Amino acid sequence: MFGLSLSFLPFIGSSSAPDTTTSGVDVLDEPGTDGPVVLSYEAVEELGRKLDDLRARTVADLGQEDRDYIFKIIKAQRGLEVAGRGLMYFGFFPPAWIAAVSALSLSKILDNMEIGHNVMHGQYDWMREPGLNSKVFEWDNTCPGDQWRHSHNYMHHTYTNILDMDRDIGYGILRMDSAQKWNPYYLGNPIYAFLLMTFFEWGVMLHDLEAENVIQGKRKWHDVKPLLEGWWKKAGRQVLKDYIVFPALTGPMFVPTLVGNFTANIVRNVWAYSIIFCGHFPTGVQTFTVEETAQETRGQWYVRQMLGSANIEGGQLFHIMSGNLSHQIEHHLFPDLPAHRYPQIAPEVKALCEEYGLPYNTGGFFHQIGTVWGKIFRLALPDRFTGVDKVTGVIIEREKAAA
Amino acid sequence: MSIATTPTSRGRRSSLLSRLRPRLLETLTTPHAVDRYLELVDPMMTVDDMRAEVVAVRHQTPDTVTLTLRPTWQWKGFAAGHFVQIGVVVDGVRHTRCYSPAGTAGTDDDTIELTVKAQPDGIVSNYLVASAKPGLVVNLAPATGTFELPSPRPDHVLLISGGSGITPVMSMLRTLVHEGYTGRVAFLHYAYTENDVCYRAELDRIAAENDNVDVLYAYTDQQNGGHLHGFFDTEHLNVAAPWHASAQTFLCGPPGLMKGVRSVFDELGLSESLFSEEFVTAVPVVDGDASGTVSFSGSSVEAENDGATLLEQAENAGLTPEFGCRMGICFTCTAIKKSGCTRNVKTGELDSDPDNEIQLCISVPVGDVDIDV
Ligand code: FES
């Protein structure tokens, strides 16, 4: 299916086998379909109304249960954090050190994903709880909340998968779509991806800088200066806490604590990167052009979100640890609904996809991340070696048909 | 004008917590506030956030509840007539409302007494009347307000109240009595019937024990008993306080009473000596109404409501509020609506709560609206 056997890359060998009918590409292979699915203007609008209705029903149902849920998660996160910090005092005893790092890693993952990401999306603003307000919330991450709200909530969620608009496609570093023109720089694609994964929080922090635009002189100092100030304040405090104050508090355990805190940050980074990359880059997700999306209706916006996102299957704990971004499709349709509601509305979204012949891109974690890395390696090479064409699984009729 | 009472505060935990507050603690809990950890252990154990715990609940009349609150150590006391804002969670949502403490100001008693009357459609008032129990913890903001007894105290004081408007003037009366005030005081209270009067036993006791204090009940739905019947007029005023011309009058009650009293005082040329506290009344909701004025009070700009979204109206008025997606996704444009009613164009929902956060890009004003932009 890649037009190139990647079996020489051992860890993606298995995942390049023909996959299930749930990915966008394979819809084409279904009996009776010999081209992309074509959705009429009216069908898209009707689908949009159904999704609006689903949203309204969910919003009407929000209440004490959702409040209890998020506070339960916060309590668990704070408990893990306190446990992790406390166990570092016993860092001389290897099992205790491992337990400390595990607890702290879990705490940071919960803080960033099920709490931070979701609260900063405004998912809990309806509670009017000052401590959980999207405008002021901060997370355990070097990226200041306000910069992330701009690069993620606004840029990424508004222009999802529109090439040259959605900077999450490759983050200005990677080639993640065959429509990004190849150049020799991209030979390093897997290396850049590996570094981004390891130091993800710093990559997220740098996201709003648009480094390549600064290098090319398209961004001026006065655009960049406030970002630097934000980093100094936010990242500075994070570094002070994890690499100076907490290690110092454990006295003779300074070095084990410092290494433990560093490890917990890396574990969180690898996990967050993996979950997030599974959201938009597995095989079968579709990208769009600025021209085709210029005059988008609400229904068309919805369909773009569905085609541009992919889910990960898993159990309840997996969903919580991924901040329910394992329900990336539902998240992109309704970014401001409390994420723990996504599993509940997913069957309805999936049924709508089936009804309209749309792909509902989902798969196990190892399958999805496998296809992501496959893409990272494949797109490192120029197209003439890989022979990859841009996949268009669904064509959206964006104009009303003439009467 | 100075504040009549000296705020008193000797919070039990004040000294301990304020000394426990070095920057180190904040560094350890960054990026979250210290209170975000402490509150999980005990919601009353806070460094920054002021809270209060309900310690006693009593029902004086069928549709009211009187709560005694014990605030956290940050509480600085209140002046008689001031109001406090409390935040109460109802069905997962924290609602804030203002109430006037009814207790004696300027004592060492660090509790706050609030009397809340159930309002039709009142989310918070109905919840408190039906379900407030000792142990309930609410958010609390410092007492504030301009309705207060002047210092030094006036020669004579007339207090007029209606319904649950009794609380700030009850506080004034209790405070005056506590201070040993010797001028004449008349306390004129309006209620539907004698069963609707809060604090009756205490008011009667105060009147019996203090020669300089007269307490009069006026019933609007009851023809016998009490001292007066029907609505406020010059006759009521003359019966209650024939000396009103040399008094300062403090008034709090429903809009009808406020209007009646004001027009009588205007006629008598006494409006200078009348001080009042208005109840915040809900704005009437008229759907699809593109009239009224939009006030962007954060920048003192006003515009005629043209029915467009508040983001557009703000921009047309030359303002530059922050925005992102302009379609209700990113919450960049969230601003505080101080008063008025708005409609969410995505959901059709109407919102007439004061001091609520709304998304400018998907909200249209319905009538007069005041936005903090
Ligand atoms: S501008 Fe994005 S929610 Fe209003």
Side-chain angles (χ1 to χ4, degrees):
Chain A
M1 111 202 301
F2 294 139
L4 169 75
S5 167
L6 291 173
S7 50
F8 61 94
L9 298 170
F11 66 98
I12 50 171
S14 62
S15 61
S16 59
D19 54 19
T20 60
T21 55
T22 46
S23 99
V25 190
D26 295 297
V27 165
L28 309 184
D29 304 335
E30 272 179 355
T33 337
D34 36 53
V37 174
V38 179
L39 272 187
S40 73
Y41 180 91
E42 286 75 18
V44 170
E45 292 311 290
E46 187 186 50
L47 174 58
R49 281 191 296 274
K50 288 181 183 171
L51 287 167
D52 276 339
D53 174 60
L54 173 57
R55 181 184 188 282
R57 274 182 283 129
T58 313
V59 168
D61 193 42
L62 297 180
Q64 190 65 38
E65 180 205 334
D66 304 86
R67 182 185 184 89
D68 293 343
Y69 173 82
I70 193 66
F71 276 108
K72 202 166 95 190
I73 298 289
I74 290 173
K75 219 167 180 166
Q77 182 263 318
R78 304 285 146 89
L80 282 164
E81 174 164 15
V82 171
R85 304 286 183 192
L87 279 165
M88 289 291 180
Y89 283 88
F90 306 93
F92 52 86
F93 179 53
W97 186 86
I98 290 171
V101 172
S102 309
L104 200 51
S105 305
L106 291 173
S107 154
K108 283 173 179 278
I109 286 170
L110 279 176
D111 175 286
N112 280 192
M113 307 200 69
E114 185 67 340
I115 304 167
H117 170 269
N118 293 338
V119 168
M120 286 195 282
H121 257 294
Q123 292 180 0
Y124 295 93
D125 280 5
W126 58 273
M127 289 184 356
R128 299 186 209 151
E129 193 58 51
L132 291 180
N133 179 287
S134 63
K135 289 218 117 172
V136 293
F137 194 82
E138 276 295 347
W139 54 356
D140 186 335
N141 191 296
T142 50
C143 177
D146 55 347
Q147 293 185 25
W148 184 83
R149 283 187 285 272
H150 177 262
S151 64
H152 179 88
N153 279 15
Y154 167 39
M155 296 303 283
H156 169 58
H157 273 272
T158 311
Y159 305 113
T160 314
N161 280 31
I162 302 177
L163 282 161
D164 300 329
M165 293 292 279
D166 181 1
R167 296 186 40 82
D168 277 29
I169 303 179
Y171 295 87
I173 311 169
L174 305 176
R175 185 168 185 241
M176 292 307 298
D177 191 273
S178 53
Q180 289 170 282
K181 205 171 150 358
W182 186 86
N183 68 51
Y185 161 85
Y186 287 124
L187 285 170
N189 222 28
I191 297 166
Y192 315 144
F194 182 80
L195 290 172
L196 179 61
M197 172 175 81
T198 313
F199 301 104
F200 194 52
E201 64 172 325
W202 298 95
V204 171
M205 182 188 87
L206 293 170
H207 196 22
D208 224 18
L209 176 66
E210 303 183 12
E212 78 282 13
N213 290 334
V214 174
I215 292 165
Q216 291 167 23
K218 288 191 214 153
R219 283 204 92 178
K220 296 283 166 279
W221 172 241
H222 73 261
D223 290 336
V224 172
K225 200 170 148 249
L227 299 180
L228 298 181
E229 283 163 6
W231 300 347
W232 174 248
K233 266 170 80 185
K234 184 69 206 290
R237 272 201 294 263
Q238 290 290 129
V239 166
L240 181 69
K241 170 178 84 155
D242 276 344
Y243 301 135
I244 296 171
V245 177
F246 271 112
L249 282 176
T250 56
M253 291 293 99
F254 187 96
V255 174
T257 305
L258 185 144
V259 176
N261 292 353
F262 178 76
T263 311
N265 278 327
I266 301 288
V267 170
R268 180 268 319 274
N269 287 348
V270 171
W271 178 255
Y273 163 96
S274 302
I275 295 297
I276 287 158
F277 269 55
C278 283
H280 297 289
F281 308 128
T283 308
V285 294
Q286 212 167 306
T287 53
F288 304 84
T289 62
V290 177
E291 296 72 39
E292 69 182 321
T293 54
Q295 298 290 331
E296 226 172 28
T297 65
R298 182 157 178 78
Q300 291 166 13
W301 180 85
Y302 271 135
V303 175
R304 172 159 58 83
Q305 302 304 323
M306 294 165 115
L307 297 178
S309 312
N311 284 6
I312 315 168
E313 282 160 6
Q316 200 192 358
L317 190 61
F318 177 80
H319 293 317
I320 292 173
M321 295 315 288
S322 69
N324 276 294
L325 292 180
S326 46
H327 290 92
Q328 190 74 238
I329 300 175
E330 288 73 21
H331 174 57
H332 262 268
L333 292 172
F334 311 116
D336 58 348
L337 286 186
H340 78 112
R341 292 281 187 153
Y342 297 152
Q344 178 190 327
I345 61 178
E348 217 170 312
V349 172
K350 192 172 180 192
L352 284 172
C353 283
E354 269 158 26
E355 186 183 338
Y356 288 86
L358 292 169
Y360 185 81
N361 192 335
T362 185
F365 174 71
F366 292 105
H367 171 265
Q368 297 295 68
I369 195 71
T371 70
V372 168
W373 278 102
K375 207 181 243 187
I376 289 168
F377 276 87
R378 184 161 40 87
L379 292 175
L381 300 172
D383 294 344
R384 65 177 178 282
F385 291 116
T386 58
V388 174
D389 288 318
K390 188 171 176 316
V391 174
T392 304
V394 178
I395 293 172
I396 307 167
E397 283 186 352
R398 293 187 181 264
E399 301 282 325
K400 266 195 196 117
Chain B
M1 203 199 309
S2 70
I3 296 178
T5 53
T6 323
T8 63
S9 163
R10 256 175 305 285
R12 295 139 296 274
R13 294 178 256 199
S14 62
S15 46
L16 177 68
L17 278 176
S18 46
R19 266 187 277 123
L20 245 179
R21 230 212 119 152
R23 306 227 6 126
L24 176 64
L25 206 53
E26 282 161 27
T27 308
L28 296 184
T29 62
T30 191
H32 309 296
V34 178
D35 287 346
R36 299 288 84 75
Y37 287 81
L38 295 179
E39 68 189 358
L40 299 176
V41 180
D42 175 357
M44 290 290 284
M45 188 168 77
T46 58
V47 175
D48 292 309
D49 296 3
M50 186 156 71
R51 307 255 167 86
E53 181 180 356
V54 174
V55 289
V57 175
R58 74 195 156 102
H59 293 269
Q60 304 195 57
T61 66
D63 63 348
T64 66
V65 64
T66 299
L67 307 174
T68 307
L69 302 167
R70 182 175 57 84
T72 47
W73 63 272
Q74 301 91 341
W75 174 246
K76 297 261 192 298
F78 68 102
H82 276 181
F83 62 84
V84 295
Q85 199 180 52
I86 62 171
V88 182
V89 177
V90 184
D91 194 20
V93 181
R94 189 173 292 283
H95 298 268
T96 51
R97 293 290 186 276
C98 297
Y99 297 104
S100 291
T104 314
T107 68
D108 281 346
D109 172 23
D110 249 350
T111 60
I112 306 168
E113 180 182 308
L114 305 178
T115 291
V116 178
K117 181 176 192 288
Q119 306 290 334
D121 303 321
I123 298 170
V124 175
S125 61
N126 280 310
Y127 170 80
L128 289 176
V129 170
S131 328
K133 298 263 172 340
L136 173 73
V137 173
V138 301
N139 287 10
L140 180 67
T144 174
T146 53
F147 187 58
E148 57 188 53
L149 288 169
S151 196
R153 305 302 188 213
D155 293 341
H156 307 307
V157 173
L158 168 59
L159 304 169
I160 306 176
S161 60
S164 55
I166 194 170
T167 58
V169 289
M170 185 70 202
S171 175
M172 289 176 172
L173 178 66
R174 281 169 156 175
T175 304
L176 288 172
V177 170
H178 173 77
E179 289 172 0
Y181 175 75
T182 51
R184 283 220 69 80
V185 182
F187 189 97
L188 172 57
H189 179 68
Y190 284 79
Y192 297 128
T193 71
E194 58 190 4
N195 296 326
D196 297 305
V197 181
C198 295
Y199 299 107
R200 217 170 79 192
E202 187 182 347
L203 285 168
D204 290 343
R205 189 179 51 73
I206 290 175
E209 289 174 2
N210 296 276
D211 292 341
N212 62 329
V213 178
D214 294 321
V215 171
L216 294 96
Y217 305 116
Y219 300 135
T220 52
D221 286 7
Q222 183 180 322
Q223 296 315 315
N224 45 25
H227 307 87
L228 295 161
H229 303 96
F231 296 105
F232 180 87
D233 58 14
T234 322
E235 198 199 316
H236 281 198
L237 180 62
N238 287 328
V239 172
W243 37 264
H244 56 261
S246 60
Q248 295 208 6
T249 301
F250 299 87
L251 161 72
C252 183
L257 176 68
M258 309 277 282
K259 228 176 112 195
V261 175
R262 275 199 201 115
S263 68
V264 169
F265 273 70
D266 280 348
E267 268 169 42
L268 297 171
L270 291 173
S271 40
E272 293 283 288
S273 63
L274 176 66
F275 305 90
S276 59
E277 173 91 306
E278 198 111 25
F279 276 125
V280 184
T281 45
V283 185
V285 166
V286 190
D287 204 0
D289 177 8
S291 64
T293 309
V294 188
S295 321
F296 299 101
S297 51
S299 30
S300 325
V301 172
E302 290 204 344
E304 282 308 307
N305 172 16
D306 64 12
T309 64
L310 280 163
L311 182 59
E312 281 165 297
Q313 300 207 36
E315 288 172 339
N316 292 341
L319 302 175
T320 51
E322 260 196 283
F323 67 86
C325 64
R326 301 186 78 101
M327 55 191 295
I329 299 166
C330 69
F331 289 79
T332 311
C333 64
T334 307
I336 294 183
K337 180 196 64 181
K338 296 170 101 177
S339 65
C341 177
T342 53
R343 188 176 61 247
N344 181 318
V345 294
K346 247 163 84 177
T347 62
E349 259 171 43
L350 292 168
D351 177 346
S352 49
D353 274 4
D355 288 320
N356 231 5
E357 285 201 327
I358 55 163
Q359 287 161 280
L360 297 178
C361 68
I362 51 163
S363 298
V364 295
V366 181
D368 289 351
V369 168
D370 183 352
I371 305 283
D372 191 6
V373 166

